[in-house]
């Protein structure tokens, strides 16, 4: 079947001297692998630069049921980044988001809400003039809405601790199983925020790092066999 769809490149690696294999999260067909021939040739119709990680593309492709690899007929950009690839903080945040998405999203079926959520995060990361130091925390907190384990309840005087296993704000501290009151409050603020306002939440470097680690632990608790996430180590160094 021939389809036209937008896509986000989550992974790209060399297949031969002139070809690439790309993992693309598409708007109409979920996660797909495409083999793109000739991109490393001098006279290539499609530049390898167009297929770098995080690239936002529009493609026409032959998707054959039962096949692991598909071939695109046409590929072109639908958004060219202005800031993201050229700013070390933005690109580090983007690489972290991409690694999380690449290791979680495995379904080869259409899921337009997830695609739109990812697209909005990448576009905001590229276009905003505000600080982006909280965007990865926003992504992790709000991505749970699409994965089935969104935090329940809210932070207040009677439920000031977020329990990682139960996935809810509760009244008592359960040591390693809960976030302390300060981190629980930050999580609640992030859940109530949107992309345009999350930068207004003032979080110290140590607390930001601790909350990131706790959110990754929350993911590991609720997603079986989640591969290890490594990009947050680089992100931590960049943000600090």
């Amino acid at each position: 079947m021939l389809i036209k769809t937008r896509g986000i490149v989550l992974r790209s690696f060399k297949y031969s001297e002139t070809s690439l294999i790309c993992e693309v999260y598409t708007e109409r067909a979920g996660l797909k692998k495409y083999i793109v021939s000739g991109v490393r040739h001098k006279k290539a119709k499609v530049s390898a630069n167009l297929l770098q990680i995080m690239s936002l593309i529009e493609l026409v492709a032959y998707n054959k049921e039962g096949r692991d690899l598909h071939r695109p007929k046409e590929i072109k950009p639908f958004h060219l980044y202005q800031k993201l690839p050229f700013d070390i903080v933005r690109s580090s945040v983007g690489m972290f988001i991409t690694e999380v998405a690449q290791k979680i999203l495995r379904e080869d079926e259409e899921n337009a809400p997830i695609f739109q959520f990812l697209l909005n995060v990448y576009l905001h990361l590229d276009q905003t003039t505000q600080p982006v130091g909280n965007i990865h925390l926003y992504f992790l907190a709000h991505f749970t809405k699409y994965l089935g384990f969104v935090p329940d309840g809210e932070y207040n005087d009677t439920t000031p601790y977020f329990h990682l296993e139960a996935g809810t704000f509760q009244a008592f501290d359960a040591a390693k199983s809960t976030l302390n009151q300060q981190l629980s409050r930050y999580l609640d603020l992030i859940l109530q925020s949107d992309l345009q306002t999350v930068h207004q939440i003032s979080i110290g470097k140590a607390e930001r790092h601790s909350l990131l680690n706790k959110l990754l632990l929350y993911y590991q608790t609720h997603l079986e066999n989640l591969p290890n996430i490594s990009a947050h180590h680089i992100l931590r160094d960049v943000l600090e």
Side-chain angles (χ1 to χ4, degrees):
M1 180 175 68
L2 190 65
I3 67 167
K4 181 178 181 180
T5 183
R6 295 185 296 176
I8 302 167
V9 179
L10 299 182
R11 191 178 176 212
S12 181
F13 54 93
K14 185 178 178 181
Y15 176 68
S16 65
E17 288 301 316
T18 60
S19 302
L20 294 175
I21 290 179
C22 302
E23 290 187 4
V24 182
Y25 193 74
T26 70
E27 186 173 18
R28 291 191 54 199
L31 185 69
K32 294 294 182 184
K33 286 184 180 180
Y34 295 103
I35 179 169
V36 189
S37 303
V39 294
R40 302 169 65 86
H41 193 276
K42 290 183 179 180
K43 297 182 179 180
K45 293 182 179 180
V46 178
S47 169
N49 291 332
L50 179 58
L51 299 171
Q52 292 182 353
I53 292 176
M54 296 186 284
S55 293
L56 305 179
I57 61 175
E58 184 175 271
L59 55 88
V60 177
Y62 297 99
N63 286 340
K64 295 186 178 181
E65 190 173 347
R67 292 279 186 91
D68 184 50
L69 277 176
H70 308 274
R71 285 192 178 273
K73 181 180 179 182
E74 300 175 14
I75 301 178
K76 62 181 180 180
F78 78 84
H79 175 81
L80 293 175
Y81 291 125
Q82 302 300 310
K83 300 176 183 177
L84 198 160
F86 315 109
D87 182 304
I88 188 171
V89 175
R90 293 174 197 260
S91 61
S92 297
V93 172
M95 290 297 290
F96 170 78
I97 290 170
T98 304
E99 182 184 1
V100 172
Q102 191 265 331
K103 290 183 176 178
I104 289 177
L105 299 175
R106 311 311 308 167
E107 296 296 324
D108 58 350
E109 298 178 356
E110 178 180 355
N111 192 319
I114 286 183
F115 177 85
Q116 192 61 52
F117 172 72
L118 290 173
L119 177 60
N120 289 344
V121 172
Y122 284 116
L123 290 177
H124 180 79
L125 191 56
D126 181 54
Q127 297 171 346
T128 184
T129 58
Q130 302 297 337
V132 299
N134 290 338
I135 297 296
H136 60 300
L137 300 177
Y138 171 92
F139 168 77
L140 288 176
H142 287 261
F143 198 25
T144 60
K145 299 175 183 177
Y146 306 92
L147 301 177
F149 53 96
V150 60
D152 187 36
E154 62 181 18
Y155 172 91
N156 56 43
D157 291 340
T158 57
T159 55
Y161 300 98
F162 181 72
H163 195 286
L164 294 170
E165 294 180 7
T168 187
F169 290 88
Q170 63 181 30
F172 57 92
D173 186 2
K176 293 182 179 180
S177 297
T178 54
L179 275 62
N180 63 35
Q181 291 192 38
Q182 186 178 44
L183 293 184
S184 297
R185 175 175 172 270
Y186 285 142
L187 175 59
D188 186 57
L189 288 172
I190 291 170
L191 286 167
Q192 295 180 43
S193 71
D194 55 33
L195 279 168
Q196 287 68 41
T197 61
V198 70
H199 71 276
Q200 298 174 0
I201 303 172
S202 180
I203 307 177
K205 293 178 181 179
E207 290 76 16
R208 181 183 286 115
H209 180 57
S210 294
L211 182 55
L212 172 58
N213 286 336
K214 290 292 187 180
L215 284 173
L216 289 175
L217 179 58
Y218 183 52
Y219 271 64
Q220 292 168 351
T221 301
H222 292 272
L223 292 175
E224 292 186 6
N225 303 315
L226 177 65
N228 183 54
I229 307 295
S230 59
H232 71 290
H233 298 298
I234 298 173
L235 180 59
R236 178 194 61 191
D237 293 340
V238 170
L239 292 178
E240 292 182 359

